[in-house]
Every structure is written in structure tokens, then in C-alpha cells.
Amino acid sequence: MSNADLPEYLPGFTPWPQQAAAHYRAAGYWTGETFGAILRARAQQYPARLALVCGVRRWTYAELDQRSDQLAAGFARIGIRPRDRVVVQLPNIAEFFAVCFALFRLGAIPVFALPPHRRAEISYFCAHAEATAYVIADQDGGFDYRQLARQVRAEQPGLQHIIVVGQAEEFCALDSLYDQPQTFAEARPDDVAFLQLSGGSTGLPKLIPRTPDDYLYSIRASAEICGLTADSIYLCALPVAHNFTLSSPGSFGVLYAGGCVVMARRASPDDAFPLIEAERVTLTALVPPLAMVWLDAVNNRVNERAGGGHDLSSLQLLQVGGAKFTAEVAQRVGPVLGCSLQQVFGMAEGLVNYTRHDDPEQLIVGTQGRAISAADEVRVVDDEDRDVTPGEVGHLLTRGPYTIRGYYKAEEHNARAFTADGFYRTGDLVSQLPSGHLVVEGRAKDQINRGGDKVAADEVENHLLAHPNVHDVALVSMPDAYLGERSCAFVIPRGVVPRALELNNFLRERGIAQYKIPDRIEFIDRFPKTGVGKVNKRVLRERIAEQLASAGKSL
Ligand code: AMP
Ligand code: DBH
């Protein structure tokens, strides 16, 4: 089938209203460029420059470009077609980019999964996106992804291809797909290029449709705000497919600028510091708990050279985001690491806020930045969607040239997650300074932000409710000095009181990511209720926080 036979947009995608789209084009935000074409342009501009460093492998722009072409041909040969959805779950390896750009060139649609996702999540992505292929690495971090693929395939008959980087066993080896390049018609710049993940707040994670027009605008603008050039060297330390690492400005931003992306398998100082030294890394992005680990690693080795024995002097910028970075820790970054700090408050749904390099110190340390674009509409409202008095805390709503108008195939949820006039309800509670900078003050969504890993409370609750000895359950956050928050499940038992360990094993057997397993389980006879009879999670949060404080375990 040629692309001309396909419906205008991917079914399940909510395009921007025509008027808004016309405005974003006329104003130059949307340029009609595509991912595949940009890589081609960079390969022509800088064929011999390094695009990727991964272990001992060093790929130039020409090589990345060629590998993407070859893989596109190989994917087409085995039957992957335009608009097919392909779940991509890879660790931080160079192949991630060859696979993505190959799929973009083919007009197929990657669905980004994260390495910790297990059977329940991957099966759901495959089912919801009706994926025909799943790309994995053979193993990583002691986990065998082929074993996971076998389980997923047994549950998902629509999955026709399992493609493996490394030892493929009974599956298809990625290395066997480097065919002779062919020319393909890339998808339209205003249609879905990939599906990104949301941390979610209700039920299963939502899929976020992003187009080349909107995503490339956010990448281009981010690259400019962060001062990227062809000399930028980015350490990709967080999971590569995370929206922060991919686009704020992340590895895509660095490739857009013609710079070099250095892949770190892990973000620990032991893995990252030697790479920073060896490759002269200029910027990187971390979640707050990792930033704290880096600061401590440098501090703890004061007798050695700064950097815990490694020369980190090339590092100009450390970006921190994904969860709230407290001002006390933020102010240590400059003195300890000898580089600038940028706070980043973003979301895979769109809106990204950055502190700017010329902001006064107190804004860099004490706020989560301001929106990328003059075209970002940011509102702070009360429970009735009325604007609060400037400076007051309220719900953050946003609309703009790179913020989606709907999740993929989620009509019912979209009616709640967006206002009638298309503003996304972020679920974040913020206050806004006259400069436009936002301070994240809390959260209205029923989610736990475990140091940047988002856990939707009712997703975990639903899994626990399947246990025969669980009558009811409420998952809430509890304060944690390191992760910011951890999760605590309050369980009303049925019959025999189960052991916490048994419940955790039960969840693991159901195939959910480790970070979603409750950090603590408390048994309770009944829940405190709100006036309207709902479980009062605020009271539960206070109860566990007090309990921890009196046990001397919290901050
Ligand atoms: P997601 O929608 O899953 O991409 O997650 C985005 C959410 O992460 C935001 O809506 C915030 O709740 C949270 N978040 C991201 N960056 C920050 C930050 N710098 N400070 C506080 N919360 C953040
Ligand atoms: O947490 C996030 O999702 C996030 C954080 C910083 C994000 O999506 C981003 C920047 O783009």
C-alpha cells in the first residue's frame, strides 16, 4: 500500500485544530521538516563528524544515516509497513537511534517503552497500539529481554516480529536487517511520528502521539535555549527514550545541532564520570536523586581531584528535572561540580520549562523555569478553572505548538484531561512569578513521583485488588530524603492478613516494573473518608509521614 492510500491522519490521533495549525506554520514554529530528512541533511553537512559514542563504537553522521537507510530496507523486507506500530524497548545503546530513524524513514511508528517495563506494561502497549513488532536487546542489567518477549508474544498474537540487538535465539537479529538502502516516502510532518509514554495518573499508562512538526519545534527551540552547537557533547545518562533525555534538548537536540551523543549504560558516577573525562562531555541531564548522588560522589572524594578522581572540567551544564529539585541541593551544583545548573520542568505531553543561563541565581535555584515559547499558553487556575490571582498556587493548564490535544485512542480520558478549548490539564500545582517562571508546589493527580519515575496510583491498586486477601487498597506517597517520594500501600485485608513480601511477589508475578512495587505496605481496618465518601488520601499521606517522622526515618 502506498502512503497515498492511507487516511489523512493516524486513526486515534487528535490533530490540532486547523486554525491553530495554520498559525503555528505561519509563525514559523512548524516547518514541515521530518526526522529522516534532518538526519540526511546533517550527514551531508558533517559526514565525518561523530554522532554517537557507545562503548568502543564511534558512529559518524554518515554511518548513522547509512545504518538507518539499511535498517529501513530490512524492516520493509520482513513486512513492516508505513504506520505499523513498533514497540521499542532498548537500553542506552547506539542502535536505538538507527532503529528510530529507520522506522521514521519507513513511516512506521515507534512506541517508546522504558527498560524497567515488564510483561504487564509491554503487553498493554502492544495491545493498545496494535503493534506488529517489538525491538529489544538480548539482555541488559542482568535481565533477559528475550524471556520477556516470549511471554509477551504468547499474549499478543498480533505481534509478528521480535527483533533483537545481540543474540537473537529464535527471534530476528537486528544485524540481519542491514539491507541495501531503498527510498521510502516518509510520513507527513503533521502526522504521528511516534508514541511517547505518559507516567499516567489513571489506569494504564497513556500513549502520547507526537508529530515531526511539533516535536522538532520543541527540540529546535530547546537546543537554542541550551546554547547547543556542533561542538556540544551530550552524555545520555538517563534512559534514552525518556522524553527529557530525548528532547529537552536531549539526544535529538544534540543531533539536530550536529553535536555528539555519548551513551552511558548507567547514570552512576562510576559509569558516567570516566565517560565525561574521556569524551570531554559538555552537558548532561539527570533526575534529582542522581544529581544528589553525583554531588556526594564528588564531595566524598575531596582528597582526590574534583570529580571523584575524574576530570569533569569539560562539563558546562547540568540539567535537572523530572521531579522537584529542592533549592538546598540545587545551590550545591555550581560550587561542587563547577558547571551551570538548569532546572527543567517538562512533560511528554508537551510543555517544557527551562531556567535560562542568564536568569538570576535565585530563579535558577528556586524555580522550575519558564516555558520554551512565546506561543506556549500557560494558565494557573482554581478548581473551577478560573484564573487564580497571579502568584497564587493553582492547577497548571497549557496549550501550545508542541503540546498534544489528546492522548492516542483515549476518547473518554481525553474529555477529562483536556479542557473544551484544548488546554492540557497537567495535574501539577504551580505558582507563577511575574517573570513567567513556575514553581512546582505539588500535585493534584493521583500519582507518585518516585525520583522522576511516575507511578499511577490506581494502576498499582488494581493489580493489588486482584490478590484474594486484599479487600481494598490505597497507594499514596510518603516523603523520602533521597527520591523525594516513595510509595506506601494502605491495605484492608480480607481473611488472612497477607505478608507484605507475599504481596510484592504477587505484583512481580503480574509483570509490573520494579519501581511500581510499593516501598511499604501498611495494613489498616478501614480508610478515612472525605465528605463525599471517597478515600481520603491526604489523611493517609499525613499518617504515614508522621509515622516516619516519629520513627526518625524521614528528612
Ligand atoms: P509525564 O507526563 O509522565 O511525562 O511526566 C511529567 C510530569 O513530571 C510533570 O507533569 C510533573 O508532574 C513532573 N515533573 C517533571 N519535571 C519536573 C520538575 N522539574 N519538578 C517537578 N515536577 C516535575
Ligand atoms: O518528567 C518528564 O516527563 C520530563 C522532564 C523534563 C520531560 O518530559 C521533559 C523534560 O521533556
Side-chain angles (χ1 to χ4, degrees), residues 7-318:
E8 193 178 13
Y9 293 109
L10 181 73
F13 165 53
T14 310
W16 279 259
Q18 270 182 9
Q19 211 183 347
H23 169 62
Y24 296 147
R25 279 193 198 97
Y29 300 122
W30 292 4
T31 59
E33 293 170 289
T34 60
F35 294 101
I38 285 173
L39 176 60
R40 181 82 78 233
R42 291 300 167 273
Q44 280 159 2
Q45 231 175 325
Y46 313 115
R49 282 191 82 111
L50 265 190
L52 289 163
V53 173
C54 179
V56 295
R57 296 181 298 160
R58 307 174 88 79
W59 291 359
T60 62
Y61 276 88
E63 180 165 5
L64 175 60
D65 185 51
Q66 191 191 13
R67 282 177 178 269
S68 308
D69 272 345
Q70 290 174 318
L71 284 181
F75 289 156
R77 167 167 59 81
I78 61 171
I80 297 176
R81 295 159 311 168
R83 281 200 181 160
D84 277 359
R85 270 79 64 203
V86 177
V87 175
V88 176
Q89 184 184 31
L90 289 175
N92 286 7
I93 53 176
E95 282 81 0
F96 173 84
F97 295 97
V99 166
C100 284
F101 283 101
L103 293 171
F104 294 152
R105 288 209 167 135
L106 198 55
I109 299 177
V111 181
F112 293 130
L114 295 171
H117 288 137
R118 293 294 177 261
R119 195 192 70 238
E121 289 103 357
I122 301 291
S123 238
Y124 167 76
F125 301 147
C126 289
H128 190 59
E130 298 168 272
T132 59
Y134 174 35
V135 185
I136 53 172
D138 50 6
Q139 43 192 330
D140 183 57
F143 182 74
D144 191 332
Y145 286 86
R146 295 161 299 194
Q147 201 52 37
L148 172 59
R150 285 179 197 114
Q151 297 170 344
V152 172
R153 189 179 51 181
E155 290 176 6
Q156 300 299 327
L159 207 53
Q160 293 162 27
H161 311 284
I162 290 166
I163 299 164
V164 183
V165 181
Q167 296 299 319
E169 294 183 346
E170 73 269 39
F171 304 121
C172 171
L174 186 82
D175 276 346
S176 71
L177 297 178
Y178 286 100
D179 282 11
Q180 199 55 31
Q182 294 171 36
T183 307
F184 299 98
E186 204 169 339
R188 312 162 35 139
D190 60 345
D191 197 4
V192 180
F194 59 88
L195 293 166
Q196 184 56 287
L197 289 190
S198 153
S201 54
T202 55
L204 291 156
K206 301 289 174 290
L207 298 180
I208 298 172
R210 302 293 301 254
T211 66
D213 270 338
D214 87 83
Y215 211 63
L216 280 167
Y217 168 55
S218 85
I219 286 167
R220 228 173 35 243
S222 296
E224 194 182 321
I225 288 168
C226 299
L228 297 191
T229 67
D231 293 323
S232 297
I233 302 173
Y234 178 73
L235 186 76
C236 180
L238 295 175
V240 59
H242 190 288
N243 199 60
F244 184 14
T245 336
L246 203 57
S247 68
S248 297
S251 51
F252 278 5
V254 171
L255 295 176
Y256 186 89
C260 176
V261 178
V262 177
M263 305 302 278
R265 280 304 263 266
R266 308 272 170 265
S268 68
D270 284 349
D271 290 272
F273 289 3
L275 284 170
I276 294 174
E277 178 174 58
E279 304 297 337
R280 307 294 298 156
V281 165
T282 61
L283 81 156
T284 190
L286 295 176
V287 288
L290 282 167
M292 283 160 69
V293 170
W294 283 32
L295 291 172
D296 289 346
V298 173
N299 269 344
N300 288 344
R301 300 181 220 179
V302 280
N303 293 334
E304 303 172 51
R305 274 188 294 155
H310 290 279
D311 176 8
L312 306 184
S313 62
S314 59
L315 198 61
Q316 295 163 9
L317 181 67
L318 176 68

Side-chain angles (χ1 to χ4, degrees), residues 261-406:
V261 178
V262 177
M263 305 302 278
R265 280 304 263 266
R266 308 272 170 265
S268 68
D270 284 349
D271 290 272
F273 289 3
L275 284 170
I276 294 174
E277 178 174 58
E279 304 297 337
R280 307 294 298 156
V281 165
T282 61
L283 81 156
T284 190
L286 295 176
V287 288
L290 282 167
M292 283 160 69
V293 170
W294 283 32
L295 291 172
D296 289 346
V298 173
N299 269 344
N300 288 344
R301 300 181 220 179
V302 280
N303 293 334
E304 303 172 51
R305 274 188 294 155
H310 290 279
D311 176 8
L312 306 184
S313 62
S314 59
L315 198 61
Q316 295 163 9
L317 181 67
L318 176 68
Q319 302 180 287
V320 181
K324 173 102 175 213
F325 198 34
T326 56
E328 300 81 79
V329 188
Q331 69 192 10
R332 290 172 54 204
V333 169
V336 174
L337 285 171
C339 67
S340 307
L341 165 70
Q342 179 179 58
Q343 295 213 41
V344 188
F345 164 38
M347 52 207 75
E349 288 82 355
L351 182 72
V352 183
N353 303 277
Y354 295 102
T355 56
R356 306 301 204 263
H357 65 91
D358 53 358
D359 278 343
E361 173 77 8
Q362 93 254 22
L363 288 183
I364 293 177
V365 163
T367 79
Q368 280 62 58
R370 64 180 169 85
I372 286 180
S373 176
D376 281 318
E377 299 170 74
V378 166
R379 290 183 62 199
V380 185
V381 303
D382 64 16
D383 290 343
E384 270 74 54
D385 285 353
R386 290 176 303 226
D387 291 313
V388 299
T389 312
E392 303 267 284
V393 178
H395 303 273
L396 172 65
L397 308 185
T398 186
R399 188 167 77 168
Y402 61 97
T403 297
I404 59 163
R405 295 299 184 112

